[in-house]
Amino acid sequence: MEPRYRLRIYLLTALVLAGCGVLLARLYEFQIEKRDDFRKLVPGNRTVTVREPGIRGVIKDRNGIELARNQRKYEITFNLAEIHQAYRLQAEKDLKRETVVSEKGMPRKKLETDIVKIVNQRIIPALDKLGLAVNYNATHLRVHYITHGGLVPFSYRTDVDYDQFARFAEHSLELPGVYLNLKPRREYPYQALCGHMLGFVRPWDPKDIPEEDVRKFNHYIGDERGVAGLERTLNDYLRGRPGEKRILKNDKGRVLGLLPDYTMPGAGSEVTLTIDAPVQYLVSNVLRRAGTAAAVVMDVRTGEILAMASVPDYDPNDFIPPISAERQKQYDENPYNPLLNISICAFLPGSTFKIPTALTGALHGFANRTYVCTGGVNYNRRVQCWIERQSGGRHGPLDLSKATQHSCNPYFMLMGNNIGAKGMLDGFNMLGFGQKTGIPLPGEEPGIVIGDRTWQELPQRVGKRPAPVDIGYLSIGQAESMATPLQLCAVTACVANGGRYYEPRLVKKIVTGNGETLEYPPKVKVDLLKEGVKPADIERIRKGMWMAVNQGGTAGRTKLPNHEVAAKTGTAQLGTVIKNGKQYSRNNAWTVAFAPYDEPRYAVCVLVREGKSGGKVATPLVNLILSGLFARDEGKRLPLHPLDIAPGSLDPIEEIELPKDILATLDLTDEPEETGDEAAEALEASGITPVEPTDTQLLIITPKPVLTPEIDEEGTVVPRARAVEE
């Protein structure tokens, strides 16, 4: 055979092989890769796989009262891809039946391509007949279809009640692509109560759908996710197991039934807190007598947090469904930051830091020392005692108990410098300062202990070591010292129970969806008696706090008629501000207390921002809290109702007066406390349901404080403070 013919045969063979290769590749593409896509186009029954969200777990207080639960809601959703496909199938059949043709030989009707017009033509009229049609955002629907197709359902209505649901079911509406789902909706039945602790959830984001689920499901509904408070930190526990169902449909898109391999959504974990809801209500209401404040109540025997409140506050229900632009603006423009949980934020602690200074002194053998108050201590500047600043006097020689009673600055500054910078830092760290307590809440701040790494990173302290004046300020809670109300309440509980520092606990137990119970028992972080502190030294500190209440100290307003209270006040001075032509001293008012003295059960810490002094502003609030706690212990019933929002204020408060009839003010009754299901039944029977607060609820007027110009009996002026024109 001639070479030229041989070449032609080779070329022909190569072309045939190449053609066969292309043909095989296309066959593989159509028969293997796109098999499911083409099967959907073949008339006949098909299945649609739907992913359902899990049921979020319930959060309860220690007595079983539900603080966060799920409300039964019905939702209408559109699978826009199914709606479009059903329209095309029906429209194409209608076009084939057309017998009238235009002059150009084309059918007079054309297929509609705009999904909004398709929905308006085929879906909305049918819903309107049942009284279920509402206005919707056409742009959102159109963008949703372009972005997600049929994978993510378009939420048409989330407010369908049971009567509308029954009407829908009764008429057996069989519109392709229209679904009516039972959707649990998060609900916080007591509104602003516990809002900072509970946090809130937000709808799932379609951008977070895993790639494997995109391939697996035709219809995907995600889970709500916690974005604040316990809802965020315990999200993995609270999120329920997702469900999966397969729906059988015919070639016209009509539902034929549910296939038997349905996996129902599972419930998330049930979380039980250490919080006592009526006590939380008591504390939250008491704080509303101040503008911006926080309070913590702990059981000194276990470290359990019974209440932790902060004002201003917010209603978590506002964020479900997604918060409205108007409501978000109201929160954003509130200058007092209602979303901030003040009880775990660090502030200048003032003289309350004399308690951890005393404990640190006991650790180093200084608790039985006597120091002489000469009216102040001279470092590179003179730091005065309040008695010298007020009257030019001095306390003279004092022991630890009397120094605590009289809140003597020189005594504790001298003790702090005898201990030394390292000893003070180690002692304060042992007592939980300068570090987070570890409770499961986002945003907890560690505070600052002068001399620690955080202090050394401050711009004015880089490369410096604590000087004697710095240790002096640390010992009395001034300069850059910072602590949270929770930290100070925990160390007060330590003094009350005789030296055992319990880790603060907010979660009591978690019961998972599979029935496993996770217990969180009391945990002693440090036992000071095992670290070398003598019981007599602890008693000296306890006695000093008792004397501050009962023998002419700064905490006299915490005194109760039938129970002995021990307390320590603090006034953290922040400088001065000129307002309305007058100069005001800017202070944080503190009081820490425990009671009863002989057999302590409760530790309380109250902080009031812009309060003149701890003795005049914070101690009356501690009195009200302890009065309510002991009244309940004696058989009275604390009230518990949904709580409105407190908007907050930073107006200077000179004094808060105690009401003449404290028990009447607290709205106590003789009925026994409600727990668990009883509280839920009472809430429902009262007709009270969580609703979006009205504008007037954001404009609650804080009671005006009583102004009595008296000289503060404690505190230290920090020389760096300056007047600021406001």
Side-chain angles (χ1 to χ4, degrees):
M1 183 181 296
E2 295 184 10
R4 57 177 180 164
Y5 294 116
R6 186 179 296 111
L7 179 61
R8 292 176 181 175
I9 292 175
Y10 290 160
L11 290 174
L12 180 61
T13 303
L15 289 172
V16 171
L17 292 175
C20 291
V22 171
L23 179 61
L24 290 173
R26 296 293 286 174
L27 287 173
Y28 179 83
E29 179 184 358
F30 287 122
Q31 295 187 2
I32 305 299
E33 292 182 348
K34 296 184 177 181
R35 178 172 178 268
D36 292 336
D37 295 335
F38 285 109
R39 286 188 63 184
K40 294 177 182 178
L41 301 178
V42 177
N45 297 340
R46 62 188 181 91
T47 58
V48 175
T49 306
V50 180
R51 195 260 192 199
E52 296 181 328
I55 301 171
R56 200 163 181 84
V58 175
I59 302 177
K60 299 182 177 181
D61 87 329
R62 65 189 302 114
N63 300 310
I65 297 174
E66 293 182 346
L67 302 175
R69 63 189 183 190
N70 301 303
Q71 193 176 24
R72 182 183 294 266
K73 288 290 183 180
Y74 299 97
E75 178 185 32
I76 296 177
T77 61
F78 297 159
N79 186 311
L80 298 176
E82 291 184 16
I83 291 174
H84 196 178
Q85 182 184 6
Y87 163 76
R88 288 184 60 88
L89 289 174
Q90 186 62 44
E92 287 174 355
K93 290 181 179 180
D94 292 342
L95 287 176
K96 290 179 181 178
R97 289 196 295 265
E98 283 285 347
T99 57
V100 180
V101 180
S102 67
E103 295 180 357
K104 295 183 178 180
M106 297 294 293
R108 291 191 300 178
K109 292 184 179 180
K110 294 183 179 180
L111 290 178
E112 183 59 65
T113 58
D114 185 1
I115 188 62
V116 172
K117 292 182 179 179
I118 294 172
V119 169
N120 288 342
Q121 292 173 11
R122 295 181 57 86
I123 307 301
I124 302 303
L127 292 176
D128 188 47
K129 290 181 180 179
L130 296 175
L132 297 174
V134 295
N135 293 332
Y136 68 98
N137 191 307
T139 301
H140 288 176
L141 185 143
R142 192 176 287 113
V143 171
H144 185 95
Y145 180 53
I146 295 172
T147 306
H148 305 295
L151 177 63
V152 179
F154 176 79
S155 181
Y156 175 68
R157 285 191 65 172
T158 59
D159 58 348
V160 178
D161 58 32
Y162 182 78
D163 291 337
Q164 292 170 322
F165 168 79
R167 195 183 316 142
F168 188 102
E170 180 183 353
H171 288 80
S172 300
L173 183 63
E174 294 185 355
L175 285 176
V178 179
Y179 294 86
L180 183 60
N181 307 310
L182 175 60
K183 181 181 180 181
R185 176 173 163 181
R186 203 60 165 168
E187 177 189 39
Y188 304 93
Y190 294 99
Q191 299 178 351
L193 186 73
C194 297
H196 287 115
M197 279 186 293
L198 297 174
F200 53 88
V201 299
R202 282 186 178 156
W204 63 285
D205 193 334
K207 294 183 296 185
D208 297 334
I209 302 177
E211 184 61 33
E212 59 270 20
D213 285 347
V214 173
R215 295 190 295 267
K216 180 178 180 181
F217 295 103
N218 306 106
H219 198 79
Y220 188 99
I221 307 175
D223 300 284
E224 295 174 322
R225 55 190 175 89
V227 295
L230 292 168
E231 293 279 22
R232 173 180 169 182
T233 54
L234 300 180
N235 187 67
D236 290 342
Y237 285 109
L238 293 168
R239 186 175 56 200
R241 184 190 69 250
E244 181 178 338
K245 65 182 178 183
R246 293 196 302 153
I247 301 171
L248 186 65
K249 293 188 173 186
N250 62 16
D251 59 329
K252 296 181 180 179
R254 296 187 183 277
V255 176
L256 301 179
L258 185 68
L259 295 180
D261 56 349
Y262 176 41
T263 302
M264 294 184 63
S269 301
E270 179 181 285
V271 176
T272 300
L273 305 181
T274 61
I275 294 297
D276 191 314
V279 176
Q280 180 75 16
Y281 184 82
L282 164 71
V283 173
S284 298
N285 266 326
V286 167
L287 288 184
R288 277 156 169 73
R289 294 172 175 266
T292 300
V296 180
V297 179
M298 292 180 64
D299 186 333
V300 306
R301 302 163 295 184
T302 62
E304 293 179 340
I305 300 172
L306 303 178
M308 183 164 62
S310 172
V311 293
D313 50 22
Y314 67 91
D315 185 350
N317 293 294
D318 287 346
F319 296 85
I320 305 165
I323 188 169
S324 66
E326 180 182 359
R327 175 63 72 194
Q328 185 68 61
K329 182 179 179 182
Q330 289 173 331
Y331 281 129
D332 292 342
E333 293 182 354
N334 186 324
Y336 313 116
N337 200 350
L339 301 183
L340 187 67
N341 186 355
I342 298 175
S343 59
I344 56 174
C345 292
F347 298 91
L348 200 65
S351 292
T352 57
F353 249 29
K354 292 171 183 175
I355 300 302
T357 297
L359 290 171
T360 303
L363 278 167
H364 291 83
F366 293 102
N368 59 355
R369 292 284 186 94
T370 297
Y371 294 98
V372 178
C373 170
T374 60
V377 180
N378 294 316
Y379 297 108
N380 56 334
R381 64 179 72 94
R382 183 170 179 79
V383 183
Q384 292 180 299
C385 186
W386 65 267
I387 193 172
E388 180 180 85
R389 190 174 70 253
Q390 178 177 329
S391 62
R394 61 188 65 186
H395 287 118
L398 295 170
D399 61 16
L400 180 55
S401 295
K402 288 187 177 180
T404 302
Q405 174 193 5
H406 296 298
S407 194
C408 178
N409 288 339
Y411 181 97
F412 290 97
M413 288 189 289
L414 292 170
M415 174 183 278
N417 274 287
N418 280 167
I419 297 169
K422 185 179 185 305
M424 287 286 283
L425 178 60
D426 291 344
F428 273 66
N429 287 162
M430 181 181 294
L431 295 170
F433 296 101
Q435 54 196 273
K436 299 179 181 180
T437 65
I439 61 169
L441 288 178
E444 183 186 12
E445 296 178 356
I448 299 176
V449 177
I450 291 177
D452 66 10
R453 179 175 298 180
T454 304
W455 180 83
Q456 293 174 344
E457 291 174 351
L458 296 173
Q460 69 272 26
R461 297 297 184 181
V462 173
K464 297 183 180 180
R465 293 184 178 181
V469 67
D470 298 316
I471 299 305
Y473 280 139
L474 170 62
S475 67
I476 61 174
Q478 296 290 345
E480 294 93 2
S481 306
M482 301 286 277
T484 70
L486 177 59
Q487 289 173 332
L488 286 166
C489 191
V491 82
T492 303
C494 175
V495 173
N497 66 36
R500 292 178 301 280
Y501 182 97
Y502 285 96
E503 287 188 0
R505 287 194 303 142
L506 187 56
V507 177
K508 196 173 184 70
K509 67 177 180 179
I510 297 176
V511 180
T512 64
N514 58 14
E516 180 184 2
T517 300
L518 305 176
E519 299 280 357
Y520 296 87
K523 182 178 180 181
V524 178
K525 178 183 177 182
V526 60
D527 188 337
L528 295 180
L529 300 183
K530 294 181 180 179
E531 298 295 331
V533 177
K534 299 176 182 178
D537 295 340
I538 299 290
E539 189 54 35
R540 287 187 175 94
I541 302 170
R542 285 166 43 87
K543 188 66 174 179
M545 296 177 68
W546 180 88
M547 293 165 66
V549 176
N550 299 282
Q551 293 185 357
T554 61
R557 300 188 191 194
T558 61
K559 189 174 182 178
L560 300 179
N562 301 317
H563 301 278
E564 290 191 333
V565 179
K568 180 72 190 78
T569 62
T571 304
Q573 299 190 334
L574 310 175
T576 58
V577 62
I578 298 174
K579 196 168 185 178
N580 298 326
K582 296 182 180 180
Q583 181 170 299
Y584 293 92
S585 174
R586 296 187 60 241
N587 302 327
N588 286 337
W590 294 83
T591 297
V592 294
F594 68 86
Y597 181 77
D598 292 329
E599 296 182 0
R601 294 196 296 276
Y602 306 114
V604 182
C605 175
V606 170
L607 160 68
V608 179
R609 297 186 63 191
E610 300 299 337
K612 177 178 174 60
S613 71
K616 294 185 180 71
V617 177
T619 54
L621 304 184
V622 172
N623 186 306
L624 289 171
I625 292 171
L626 289 174
S627 296
L629 290 171
F630 288 125
R632 187 184 66 162
D633 290 346
E634 293 165 1
K636 298 289 185 179
R637 174 185 171 187
L638 292 173
L640 177 61
H641 308 290
L643 198 62
D644 290 336
I645 292 171
S649 169
L650 281 177
D651 293 336
I653 301 177
E654 293 281 344
E655 181 180 2
I656 294 178
E657 287 190 342
L658 281 169
K660 293 182 179 179
D661 190 341
I662 292 177
L663 296 185
T665 301
L666 298 177
D667 191 27
L668 303 172
T669 65
D670 292 321
E671 300 176 16
E673 294 281 353
E674 292 176 345
T675 59
D677 294 337
E678 295 174 350
E681 291 172 3
L683 188 67
E684 293 175 3
S686 68
I688 299 174
T689 56
V691 296
E692 188 164 294
T694 62
D695 291 341
T696 56
Q697 287 177 307
L698 284 179
L699 298 175
I700 298 174
I701 303 299
T702 302
K704 290 293 183 182
V706 178
L707 302 180
T708 55
E710 293 183 20
I711 297 175
D712 180 22
E713 72 275 25
E714 59 171 311
T716 300
V717 176
V718 180
R720 285 185 291 275
R722 60 187 180 88
V724 181
E725 190 74 27
E726 182 174 87

